[in-house]
Structures are given as structure tokens and as C-alpha cells.
Amino acid sequence: EAGVAQSPRYKIIEKRQSVAFWCNPISGHATLYWYQQILGQGPKLLIQFQNNGVVDDSQLPKDRFSAERLKGVDSTLKIQPAKLEDSAVYLCASSRDRGLSVGGIQYFGAGTRLSVL
Amino acid sequence: QKEVEQNSGPLSVPEGAIASLNCTYSDRVSQSFFWYRQYSGKSPELIMSIYSNGDKEDGRFTAQLNKASQYVSLLIRDSQPSDSATYLCAVTGNNDMRFGAGTRLTVKP
């Protein structure tokens, strides 16, 4: 079974530029999550999708971050414009179960390491 | 603010010893509890999940949950140098998952 795929692995941009990350979950997994992990901290949930609908985006900074999962499979996370404090690893995860309310086990991708200069 | 607290460490144990990792959480309605292992520069991987009070054992790992005390722990028996990593405690409830900052464990040969 293929794991969660993410690209790119690394990205370096200047502040105020835009950037997009891509995630392909494990086949058959209905729920997809985007996390932000700042160095030395645990992952912070940004947004959770159930198929192509948003379940929770309460911690997504909506003035600059956006995410979509149009066909219920792949997802993209965009930052526009980027700030220095957005430097972090962006992790995508997926789970077969119907989300966090039922204790769904998540499988993480390798992440995208973003550096904003 | 719902918090998950872990001792950041570093925790250092000799090879073969028992490593004990602790986690407390503030949200009483939390339902599911997970321990993830994260090697430096890698993504988190699931070690254990626990949903009810008591102990759950899987090989060298034992998770312990006490909902009354809002406390979950992970014991690693016969620690190996390959266990050296950051261990993340994660707590879910109400469509929300929160991670602690992690405890860095070093197992010395």
C-alpha cells in the first residue's frame, strides 16, 4: 500500500511570495489533514477534510492560507503572501476512519519543509 | 485553551533500561490518545493508540491511560539506541487533535 505522497520536499521563498503544497492521501482514505510543525513544536492541525468537504479549519489563518480538495482525493495548501513565521514543515496526513471524532488513526506524509527568507 | 503538556527532555536512558514518557491534557472530553515517534527530519509514525483507562501493551511498548487524572504515559522496555527519537503525545476529541511539543529520548549504548 503506497503511503501519503507530498511535494515538494523542500521550498525556499522570500517573504510576500506565494507557495503551494500538494498531497495525495493513501488510496481509500476519506479524511485528509494538513498540519504545520514549527521547529521544536508538535504538529498543529490547520484543516481537516472529509472527502471534499471541510470538517474543521478553525486554526487555519484564512487571511493568507487556503486549502482545497476538489475531487475528494488530492489536496493543495496555499500560502499567499508568506511571512517569516510561516517557516515550518507542512505535514499532510490521511485516515480511513471518519475523522478525529472517532479516533481515526492517521498516517503522515514526509512533509514539505518551507523556509521563508 | 486545550493543552497537551509533555516534558521536553531530553530524557537519557542507558540501553536495556525502561524509558518512561509522560503526558497530561487539559480537555476532559478527550476521547482518543496516541503516541507518535518522530525521528529527526522525518514525519511522525504511530506507536500506540489507547482509548480506555488502563494499560495497553504492544511488544516493548506499554501505554497507560488515566482519564480521571488526565494523564497518559508510554513505557519503553529494553530500550534500544534505535528508540532515540522525539515522542509526541496526541489527544483527540470533538474533531480536534492536539499534539504536545514532544519529549526527546536518547538511549545510550
Side-chain angles (χ1 to χ4, degrees), chain B residues 12-23:
Chain B
S12 181
V13 300
E15 184 174 357
I18 296 175
S20 177
L21 306 164
N22 304 314
C23 173

Side-chain angles (χ1 to χ4, degrees), chain A residues 35 37 42-43 101 103 105-106 109, chain B residues 31-32 38 43 46 51 97 100:
Chain A
Y35 288 87
Q37 187 174 24
S101 62
I105 293 175
Q106 300 177 48
Chain B
Q31 299 165 339
S32 307
Q38 188 172 30
S43 59
L46 183 67
Y51 306 102
M97 174 177 260

Side-chain angles (χ1 to χ4, degrees), chain A residues 14 19 27 29 55-56 62-63 80 90 92 95-96 106 111:
Chain A
E14 295 187 350
V19 65
S27 177
H29 281 196
V55 175
D56 178 42
K62 298 181 185 64
D63 58 334
Q80 180 179 12
Y90 290 85
C92 179
S95 67
R96 182 184 306 276
Q106 300 177 48

Side-chain angles (χ1 to χ4, degrees), chain A residues 63-76:
Chain A
D63 58 334
R64 297 183 302 107
F65 285 65
S66 64
E68 60 183 13
R69 193 185 184 200
L70 292 175
K71 296 183 179 179
V73 181
D74 295 12
S75 177
T76 56

Side-chain angles (χ1 to χ4, degrees), chain A residues 9-116:
Chain A
R9 287 298 313 277
Y10 305 93
K11 191 73 177 178
I12 301 174
I13 61 173
E14 295 187 350
K15 59 183 180 183
R16 292 188 290 275
Q17 286 188 321
S18 301
V19 65
F21 313 126
W22 175 83
C23 173
N24 184 264
I26 293 173
S27 177
H29 281 196
T31 311
L32 184 147
Y33 315 81
W34 282 102
Y35 288 87
Q36 179 193 58
Q37 187 174 24
I38 294 171
L39 186 66
Q41 299 181 17
K44 182 180 86 170
L45 180 65
L46 295 176
I47 188 167
Q48 179 191 173
F49 291 95
Q50 180 74 33
N51 296 311
N52 62 347
V54 175
V55 175
D56 178 42
D57 63 357
S58 57
Q59 297 196 85
L60 187 73
K62 298 181 185 64
D63 58 334
R64 297 183 302 107
F65 285 65
S66 64
E68 60 183 13
R69 193 185 184 200
L70 292 175
K71 296 183 179 179
V73 181
D74 295 12
S75 177
T76 56
L77 175 69
K78 297 179 181 178
I79 307 175
Q80 180 179 12
K83 293 185 175 181
L84 297 176
E85 59 260 37
D86 298 332
S87 294
V89 175
Y90 290 85
L91 294 164
C92 179
S94 70
S95 67
R96 182 184 306 276
D97 308 274
R98 288 171 51 192
L100 299 173
S101 62
V102 291
I105 293 175
Q106 300 177 48
Y107 300 88
F108 284 84
T112 296
R113 185 177 298 276
L114 174 67
S115 296
V116 182

Side-chain angles (χ1 to χ4, degrees), chain A residues 37-44, chain B residues 3-9 22-24 35-36 38 85-90 98-104:
Chain A
Q37 187 174 24
I38 294 171
L39 186 66
Q41 299 181 17
K44 182 180 86 170
Chain B
E3 297 291 345
V4 179
E5 301 284 347
Q6 294 183 253
N7 187 328
S8 62
N22 304 314
C23 173
T24 59
W35 283 100
Y36 284 85
Q38 188 172 30
T86 295
Y87 288 81
L88 299 165
C89 172
R98 292 185 181 259
F99 282 81
T103 298
R104 188 154 52 95

